[in-house]
Amino acid sequence: LAAESDVVVLCVTGSPQVEALIHGADGLAAAGKPLLIVDCSTSDPASTTRLAAELAAKQIALVDAPLSRTPADAWAGTLDVMVGGEAAAVARARPVLEAFAGRIVETGPVGTGHAMKLLNNFVAMGYAALYSEALMIGAKAGLSAKVFDAVIRGGRMDCLFYQTFFKYVLERDRDAHRFTLSNALKDVTYLASFAQALGVANPVGAAVRNSFAQAVAAGDGEAYVPMLSDFVARWNGLPID
């Protein structure tokens, strides 16, 4: 692929897969030619910056361009993209990204796109953990999910993530938000590693990670994020319906 291409776009699970595709025996770097690699995966920023330095010595530019929004937005070409990299490489990647992006935000040097994606997903998964616990406490107090939604929807705490999450909660639409709990755990684990590398405390991040770790450890990793609400209910002795 690298031998026949000038630009290669990757979108895989995470950093181990990216590193294998680039540095494996038949990896992209083995082509021995100038190349632009655009990594749309949600990857560890430390891995991304290390790869970029290694590849620069081989005249290969790496741009991190992780994605946000839903599979439906991917089909529609309206994804959000966060782009980190050298200005010339980002400018070269932009026409490719515009083929599937509705919004492109340049974040700074290589690695900052992946750092921003981890923060984006931390906020989203934090909401998921909060919604799940709030629904469970409400149910224990005799408040239904419909009553909860009647208060939140249309108010200051409403958002698109809330709406897709509650499309599952209220309508049981399994495809409302197709992002697995195992992927969510991977992302918040990357965030924990990133925070540790920065030498900062992130206690809220640890709590959010533990919510997803418990679900994945129980064997529910392939369930989708809104289904966390079912598992939190079950852990607290409530029927998931």
Side-chain angles (χ1 to χ4, degrees):
L1 180 65
E4 298 296 329
S5 306
D6 297 314
V7 181
V8 176
V9 179
L10 306 179
C11 192
V12 292
T13 302
S15 291
Q17 293 77 18
V18 172
E19 293 180 11
L21 286 170
I22 290 174
H23 281 323
D26 295 317
L28 298 173
K33 56 171 281 190
L35 191 68
L36 173 61
I37 299 175
V38 181
D39 181 15
C40 293
S41 316
T42 300
S43 299
D44 181 347
S47 169
T48 302
T49 53
R50 184 180 67 252
L51 277 174
E54 294 169 355
L55 292 171
K58 300 181 179 182
Q59 295 185 299
I60 298 174
L62 177 66
V63 167
D64 47 318
L67 313 172
S68 183
R69 292 191 178 267
T70 67
D73 289 295
W75 284 107
T78 54
L79 290 170
D80 289 346
V81 184
M82 297 144 264
V83 190
E86 294 185 357
V90 171
R92 190 175 165 207
R94 182 173 278 273
V96 177
L97 298 174
E98 287 173 345
F100 52 81
R103 185 171 65 138
I104 299 172
V105 178
E106 296 185 23
T107 56
V110 67
T112 59
H114 281 144
M116 187 63 235
K117 178 59 188 294
L118 293 185
L119 296 177
N120 179 83
N121 282 20
F122 170 43
V123 172
M125 297 310 110
Y127 272 135
L130 285 170
Y131 297 156
S132 298
E133 288 196 20
L135 284 166
M136 176 273 296
I137 294 170
K140 285 281 189 178
L143 294 167
S144 70
K146 288 183 178 179
V147 170
F148 184 96
D149 180 67
V151 172
I152 301 297
R153 192 176 295 270
R156 293 182 64 189
M157 299 309 298
D158 195 359
C159 64
L160 292 175
F161 182 87
Y162 173 87
Q163 291 169 19
T164 55
F165 192 98
F166 270 75
K167 189 172 178 62
Y168 171 75
V169 171
L170 297 175
E171 302 174 25
R172 314 309 285 176
D173 181 352
R174 294 178 61 85
D175 294 326
H177 193 102
R178 295 175 59 191
F179 189 67
T180 66
L181 294 172
S182 59
N183 270 335
L185 176 60
K186 181 260 299 181
D187 292 351
V188 292
T189 299
Y190 279 168
L191 177 74
S193 176
F194 188 46
Q196 185 175 7
L198 293 173
V200 299
N202 65 320
V204 174
V208 171
R209 184 189 176 280
N210 283 339
S211 293
F212 288 93
Q214 186 172 353
V216 173
D220 295 313
E222 293 309 301
Y224 295 138
V225 163
M227 298 172 191
L228 180 66
S229 59
D230 293 341
F231 306 135
V232 171
R234 189 175 68 204
W235 300 335
N236 286 278
L238 289 167
I240 62 172
D241 58 352

